[in-house]
Amino acid sequence: WRFGTDSKVTANGPLHISYMTLSAVIVVMWWITLQIYQTRDYRIFGNGSDEYARVARATVFVFGWVAILSLIFKWDMSRGFLALAFPTGLVGLLLGRKSLRVWLRRHRLRGRHMSNVLIIGGSRSAREIATTISKNPESGLRITGIWMPDSPGEHGPLEVRDRSVPMMGTTQTLVDALSRSEADTVIVTG
């Protein structure tokens, strides 16, 4: 191991750079790459494996470029430095994401950090989707309204997970339905 916190330890080559500086450059590159790969996108955060895959792809991208740049600039950096930084950083990011996911799941099961959803479509398909989503609160979706554009009049509420969800017909406009349901997410069904 030829690296450490001593400011005199450098990656040799035409451009001398300390391992502390190199670490800072890698962290900044990594952070920017995680942003570019949209690893914090609210649509994937806390749901599915895409979040983890994006973090892994961004990490491989960064360390691939670090290796390429070390060849271009003829940095004679310690392979041990990269062999330690790459897996440690990736595992740290993935464990951090997992712990945040567990925290978020707990809060969502209590009804917090949810997106209010308006379902637009026919009565039967809207009921099926509402029932499916209500069985999975950790998805972060809470059905707050159903608007049926082909159905005249006002309808009775749909009971979903101990809640009454208003079912609206053509007496309400889409804007009215969005306002009444306080939706920030819309699902359109057939």
Side-chain angles (χ1 to χ4, degrees), residues 88-108:
T88 303
L90 179 59
V91 168
L93 280 173
L94 294 177
L95 287 175
R97 293 297 175 108
K98 179 63 177 173
S99 65
L100 283 173
R101 188 176 280 211
V102 168
W103 176 87
L104 184 59
R105 184 175 186 275
R106 281 189 202 132
H107 281 262
R108 285 179 171 172

Side-chain angles (χ1 to χ4, degrees), residues 6-76:
D6 183 2
S7 62
K8 295 177 182 153
V9 178
T10 62
N12 295 320
L15 182 64
H16 290 282
I17 184 170
S18 73
Y19 280 103
M20 293 299 284
T21 304
L22 179 62
S23 297
V25 168
I26 289 173
V27 166
V28 170
M29 283 177 55
W30 210 341
W31 184 81
I32 290 169
T33 306
L34 289 168
Q35 290 293 103
I36 291 169
Y37 277 75
Q38 299 178 347
T39 61
R40 295 177 193 94
D41 187 339
Y42 73 93
R43 292 171 289 189
I44 67 158
F45 190 78
N47 288 316
S49 61
D50 194 32
E51 176 184 3
Y52 296 119
R54 288 184 190 193
V55 168
R57 280 195 303 270
T59 300
V60 169
F61 179 85
V62 166
F63 280 89
W65 272 103
V66 167
I68 289 169
L69 292 174
S70 73
L71 287 173
I72 291 171
F73 291 111
K74 296 181 174 40
W75 285 328
D76 183 25

Side-chain angles (χ1 to χ4, degrees), residues 146-168:
I146 298 172
W147 186 59
M148 299 169 291
D150 296 336
S151 180
E154 193 73 22
H155 301 274
L158 174 66
E159 295 300 319
V160 177
R161 260 193 96 149
D162 304 328
R163 293 182 43 248
S164 294
V165 176
M167 295 180 68
M168 301 163 272

Side-chain angles (χ1 to χ4, degrees), residues 111-148:
R112 293 188 224 139
H113 305 293
M114 305 287 278
S115 292
N116 291 334
V117 176
L118 173 68
I119 299 175
I120 301 174
S123 173
R124 188 177 66 202
S125 61
R127 286 175 194 267
E128 288 174 10
I129 288 176
T131 302
T132 301
I133 289 174
S134 70
K135 290 178 182 175
N136 187 16
E138 57 271 0
S139 70
L141 302 175
R142 174 179 35 231
I143 308 301
T144 55
I146 298 172
W147 186 59
M148 299 169 291

